[in-house]
Amino acid sequence: MQQTNLTIEALNNAYSTGALSAETLILSLAAEAKTQKAVWISLLDETQITAYLAGLKNKSPQTHPLYGVPFAIKDNIDLAGLPTTAACSEYSYIAEKSAYVVEQLIDAGAIPIGKTNLDQFATGLVGTRSPYGETKNAFNPDYISGGSSSGSAVAVATGIVSFALGTDTAGSGRIPACFNNLVGLKPSKGLLSTSGVVPACRSLDCVSIFALTANDANTVFQIAAQYDASDCFARINTPANKSPVLSKAEFTFAVPLPEQLTFFGDNIYQAEFYKTIEKLEALGGKKTQLGFSPMLQAAKLLYEGPWVAERYLATQEIIEKKPEAMLDVTRTIIEAGNSAKATDCFAALYKLQALKKQADAIVEQVDFVVTPTAGTHYTREEIRDNPISYNSNLGYYTNFMNLLDYSAIAVPTSFTEQKMPFGVTLFSFALQDQKLLAYADKIMQSNQLPLGATTWPLTNKTLSTSNNRGFIDLAVCGAHLSGMALNHQLIERNALLVEKTTTAKAYQMYTVQGPVERPALIRSEQEKQSFEVEVWRMPTEHFASFVLGIAAPLGMGKIELVDGRLVTGFIAEAIAQKGRNISEFGSWRKYMATQ
């Protein structure tokens, strides 16, 4: 299967220009999904998908922001007409209607592909606790994918869907994101409805979002975060949290004290974390080291306190009447929840409230707090040998988040020497989702990592697409910009938008007439300007055909960006100066808006 750029912006552009058909793309992706083992529990058949595609008839990319965008749904979230199993066949039921959050996405034009595998009853952070098979990591099948939302993460990483829904009670939407080079947004509790979601710990559960970019996560979040009056845990999304936030040029962030950071003997992850902190400082961040003790104490309450009783309550019927239907490790964890007393519950609530006061005093000192998303990454064999304690290790930086009512986002930041993903988590108070998304985008724009696993040329062994491809970064400044007339030429060649920036203050811009009006960017010694550019990453196998389509007086050369980097891009012969000088506009978009 030829790989397609599945970011929401790229699909919107491709559909808008007619370069791509939603029906062709969705049906081909659905066929590819059938080849993936242990990623999906159930898939829509062609008739079911065609019915959803028919719903696009009176919609368009301009009116519906998720028009024709494929997505996956963790199989503890209802999709009408399909079974919801929570990875336990004896628990399974056919959903009569879709979960409220799924309905919002479908109404916006998104097309479901199927239901994904998970750690049974969303109990686990490993992705191996399922009778439907162990979901393998998208980069190296010897490693765990992370859980519990394992299938959702891998479906996005391997290029079958643009985004996926998971759940995140204790880290299930962040750990798999980290291990598969994705953004994992754990929104503030109650912003995404849990109506139609099989509960784990109902008072703590969150529906989470896996996406290739922070911008895509934000698009999905804005659509999905609609108030659901039928959800007793719903909270209203404030107007301030609905509007995009600009990251500050200078910002503050906190990291735990050195003695409170743990990497469980993983020197590689430890090194990547400190590299990430250095990058944040280079981006304008001022680091503060603050005590992390209240968070760590709160984290212990999740499984050592009475909240396990909520997991028991959620599965009470099957654990009491058919305990053999559960995996041994799942049953062992949940059975412990039946021993808590009411006095234990209140004692834990009092302790948690005191810890939250202490934790809030730490969080309010900075724009956000940064931790590793996980302290290490285990192989599937290591998890089989030590399933409970290693799983607990993975929750070291995640278990406290919902107990303390914080919003969080997992952000990919680097690859290790072994070409495995690494990432950090940013967190802050509830209803700070937009702020965290803005800084996540800032980090991703600076890192310029490949998206998911489908564009990584060295280690992806799970795809039928060609591997070991090279890439070239192209700076475009005019008709090839996102949403402009020739942008489809990049999308057709599987190019990915990796950065929006500006040139160095060293250029002038002139118009070039033709079937499509284009700009000519010329380095100048006088009246130097900087101009908006986008950097797109294109497989080198498609570069030749792209260059052959360039008409004089334009050509390819090196463009200096604002940070001093030289990137391949469009340059022009001096004769282009006979065109209209549009340097005053500062960008091709602004010029075209006047025409």
Side-chain angles (χ1 to χ4, degrees), residues 123-134:
T123 303
L125 294 173
V126 290
T128 62
R129 297 175 176 178
S130 172
Y132 296 91
E134 297 183 357

Side-chain angles (χ1 to χ4, degrees), residues 476-512:
V476 299
C477 61
H480 288 91
L481 292 168
S482 300
M484 305 301 283
L486 298 180
N487 183 251
H488 66 91
Q489 293 180 355
L490 297 171
I491 294 172
E492 289 167 354
R493 290 169 173 81
N494 297 329
L496 294 167
L497 176 62
V498 295
E499 183 179 9
K500 294 182 180 181
T501 184
T502 63
T503 67
K505 194 173 183 180
Y507 295 92
Q508 288 186 336
M509 186 178 283
Y510 301 85
T511 60
V512 175

Side-chain angles (χ1 to χ4, degrees), residues 381-547:
E381 183 177 358
E382 285 174 320
I383 291 297
R384 281 194 290 270
D385 291 342
N386 204 337
I388 293 182
S389 65
Y390 281 1
N391 183 94
S392 297
N393 289 349
L394 295 178
Y396 184 85
Y397 299 105
T398 64
N399 284 350
F400 62 85
M401 209 72 73
N402 286 344
L403 284 167
L404 295 175
D405 195 18
Y406 293 147
S407 53
I409 186 167
V411 191
T413 58
S414 62
F415 281 85
T416 68
E417 292 181 359
Q418 291 72 30
K419 299 296 185 289
M420 294 296 288
F422 174 80
V424 298
T425 289
L426 319 181
F427 73 88
S428 187
F429 294 113
L431 302 179
Q432 296 294 305
D433 309 80
Q434 284 296 320
K435 179 178 72 174
L436 296 179
L437 283 159
Y439 284 103
D441 181 58
K442 186 183 186 81
I443 293 168
M444 294 192 74
Q445 294 286 359
S446 68
N447 285 330
Q448 300 184 56
L449 297 179
L451 304 180
T454 59
T455 58
W456 188 254
L458 297 177
T459 62
N460 178 28
K461 301 176 182 178
T462 64
L463 296 175
S464 59
T465 53
S466 60
N467 292 318
N468 300 311
R469 298 181 300 178
F471 294 83
I472 187 167
D473 285 351
L474 298 175
V476 299
C477 61
H480 288 91
L481 292 168
S482 300
M484 305 301 283
L486 298 180
N487 183 251
H488 66 91
Q489 293 180 355
L490 297 171
I491 294 172
E492 289 167 354
R493 290 169 173 81
N494 297 329
L496 294 167
L497 176 62
V498 295
E499 183 179 9
K500 294 182 180 181
T501 184
T502 63
T503 67
K505 194 173 183 180
Y507 295 92
Q508 288 186 336
M509 186 178 283
Y510 301 85
T511 60
V512 175
Q513 300 303 314
V516 175
E517 191 176 18
R518 295 159 294 154
L521 194 64
I522 296 180
R523 198 172 186 96
S524 174
E525 293 299 326
Q526 298 175 343
E527 301 179 14
K528 298 176 181 179
Q529 301 270 141
S530 61
F531 293 90
E532 172 196 1
V533 293
E534 292 179 351
V535 179
W536 287 71
R537 185 161 294 159
M538 179 184 292
T540 53
E541 63 192 275
H542 300 314
F543 182 63
S545 66
F546 182 73
V547 172

